[in-house]
């Protein structure tokens, strides 16, 4: 387990790492800071998405909860209403449907108003070696949901954000895009693509007052991301696969509150804009990272090109 965790974290980092929410992103700190804002969260029915919907509601935002299972998002909206938070609505769509973003945004604007914050959380995974992946569409489906689905919703919210010169886009990525682990080729590729796309988006969107972040949420067991993801034939045949998965699962001990509260802080904290376009690890202390970002060109983040996806060469 220790070996696997060392892969996720920079052992030489001076930044504090967290497994659960902490003072800088505390819900009490951001309560009611997003009043009047409309937030769309994809994959909001369970796990991190559900926690994110509840966190944004607690911060005062009206929340549109989208997932493939209607009963899941209805339950989230019910919890929001029972807590006495602002308006929320449930939407049932598959983000891989190319027509879904247009339908969703139209319905949200008619009910809650234009979207101010988009959290692209919906995702699926595939855990398999390449040799035993006989159905290429299993892998391609991961690309479509994680990459195309995300880009589709960004395109859908963009016109309104540009016209109002405001917006926050949070793309949920993964630390697996920044390290090399076997069996996650499709998932890691999709998330790496989103990290790079977010960096380019920032170059294009920031002049319009729109800020974008690519966020690794955490390693959390309370998620349905892996349901049906494991290639059982590969799992049975490939030497070392079982041991790898055992160690991988043991490393998943972060809480869903950690990314949920981080997303709210990114949308509500004015200084978060200093990290727009960059990769953010929600397990790292955001306050400490922003302290370095405030140094601007004189700080390590800009001088060393940190929190960006790159290839170092001679």
């Amino acid at each position: 387990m220790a070996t696997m965790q060392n892969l996720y974290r920079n052992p030489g980092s001076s930044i504090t790492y967290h497994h659960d929410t902490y003072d800088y992103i505390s819900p009490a700190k951001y309560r009611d800071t997003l009043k009047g804002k409309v937030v769309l969260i994809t994959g909001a029915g369970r796990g991190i998405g559900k926690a994110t919907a509840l966190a944004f509601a607690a911060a005062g935002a009206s929340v549109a909860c989208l997932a493939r299972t209607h009963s899941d998002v209805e339950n989230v909206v019910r919890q929001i209403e029972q807590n006495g938070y602002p308006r929320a609505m449930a939407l049932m769509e598959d983000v891989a449907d190319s027509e879904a973003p247009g339908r969703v945004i139209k319905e949200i604007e008619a009910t809650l108003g234009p979207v101010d914050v988009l959290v692209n959380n919906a995702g699926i995974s595939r855990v398999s070696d390449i040799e035993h992946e006989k159905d290429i569409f299993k892998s391609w489906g991961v690309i479509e949901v994680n990459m195309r689905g995300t880009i589709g919703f960004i395109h859908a919210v963009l016109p309104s954000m540009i016209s109002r010169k405001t917006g926050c886009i949070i793309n949920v990525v993964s630390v697996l895009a920044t390290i090399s682990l076997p069996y996650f080729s499709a998932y890691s590729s999709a998330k790496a693509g989103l990290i790079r796309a977010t960096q380019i988006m920032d170059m294009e969107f920031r002049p319009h007052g729109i800020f974008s972040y690519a966020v690794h949420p955490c390693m959390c067991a309370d998620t349905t991301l892996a349901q049906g993801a494991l290639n059982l034939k590969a799992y049975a045949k490939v030497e070392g696969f079982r041991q790898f998965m055992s160690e991988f699962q043991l490393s998943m001990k972060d809480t869903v509150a950690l990314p949920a509260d981080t997303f709210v802080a990114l949308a509500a904290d004015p200084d978060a804009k200093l990290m727009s376009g960059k990769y953010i690890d929600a397990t790292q202390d955001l306050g400490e990272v922003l302290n370095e970002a405030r140094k601007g060109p004189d700080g390590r983040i800009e001088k060393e090109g940190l929190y960006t996806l790159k290839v170092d060469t001679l």
Side-chain angles (χ1 to χ4, degrees):
M1 180 172 64
T3 301
M4 187 70 75
Q5 287 179 348
N6 286 341
L7 286 172
Y8 302 150
R9 297 178 173 182
N10 178 1
S13 176
S14 62
I15 300 295
T16 303
Y17 282 88
H18 299 277
H19 291 294
D20 199 356
T21 193
Y22 53 95
D23 287 347
Y24 193 86
I25 61 170
S26 168
K29 180 178 179 180
Y30 294 103
R31 189 170 301 280
D32 296 329
T33 57
L34 295 175
K35 277 187 175 180
K37 301 294 185 180
V38 174
V39 181
L40 167 59
I41 303 158
T42 68
R46 302 178 188 178
I48 291 173
K50 177 181 178 180
T52 299
L54 294 169
F56 272 102
S62 295
V63 184
C65 306
L66 183 145
R68 289 182 294 178
T69 305
H70 196 264
S71 59
D72 287 343
V73 284
E74 284 285 5
N75 178 57
V76 176
V77 169
R78 191 177 304 114
Q79 287 189 47
I80 289 173
E81 292 172 344
Q82 289 172 349
N83 288 337
Y85 295 141
R87 291 187 300 167
M89 64 185 295
L91 298 143
M92 184 181 69
E93 290 281 2
D94 186 341
V95 298
D97 180 351
S98 61
E99 301 297 324
R103 290 194 300 265
V104 166
I105 298 307
K106 184 175 181 180
E107 187 172 352
I108 294 171
E109 289 181 343
T111 306
L112 300 177
V115 173
D116 298 291
V117 181
L118 169 64
V119 182
N120 281 307
N121 172 69
I124 62 173
S125 186
R126 180 64 172 171
V127 189
S128 175
D129 70 328
I130 297 173
E131 177 187 354
H132 294 93
E133 187 64 278
K134 302 305 181 183
D135 183 356
I136 189 62
F137 290 102
K138 292 286 187 180
S139 295
W140 186 244
V142 174
I143 305 293
E144 287 199 325
V145 171
N146 292 288
M147 188 69 177
R148 193 185 75 179
T150 294
I151 298 300
F153 275 90
I154 292 171
H155 274 271
V157 301
L158 195 56
S160 174
M161 287 184 175
I162 289 176
S163 68
R164 291 178 293 124
K165 295 191 177 302
T166 184
C168 174
I169 297 171
I170 297 172
N171 296 322
V172 178
V173 294
S174 174
V175 69
L176 298 184
T178 70
I179 61 178
S180 296
L181 286 184
Y183 315 125
F184 287 94
S185 59
Y187 183 76
S188 297
S189 297
K191 295 303 188 180
L194 281 180
I195 295 173
R196 173 63 73 208
T198 303
Q199 184 176 7
I200 294 172
M201 286 175 200
D202 181 62
M203 298 169 66
E204 300 178 3
F205 297 171
R206 194 187 290 215
H208 298 291
I210 302 166
F211 299 90
S212 313
Y213 311 91
V215 186
H216 163 59
C218 64
M219 299 301 293
C220 175
D222 186 11
T223 175
T224 58
L225 179 68
Q227 284 186 356
L230 184 64
N231 183 340
L232 295 177
K233 290 184 179 180
Y235 185 70
K237 291 181 178 180
V238 179
E239 183 179 357
F241 203 160
R242 291 178 183 273
Q243 179 65 28
F244 173 87
M245 290 306 299
S246 175
E247 293 180 1
F248 186 82
Q249 290 166 355
L250 285 172
S251 72
M252 301 179 73
K253 61 180 185 178
D254 301 328
T255 70
V256 293
L258 179 58
D261 292 344
T262 298
F263 298 155
V264 170
L266 290 174
D269 190 331
D271 282 352
K273 296 173 183 177
L274 296 171
M275 291 295 289
S276 182
K278 300 188 183 300
Y279 168 84
I280 294 173
D281 184 341
T283 69
Q284 285 197 325
D285 190 288
L286 183 62
E288 294 177 13
V289 172
L290 291 181
N291 279 339
E292 188 65 30
R294 292 184 186 103
K295 298 177 183 178
D298 295 326
R300 289 188 59 201
I301 292 177
E302 294 302 324
K303 278 186 175 180
E304 300 176 29
L306 304 181
Y307 298 96
T308 61
L309 195 67
K310 58 182 179 177
V311 175
D312 293 319
T313 62
L314 292 174

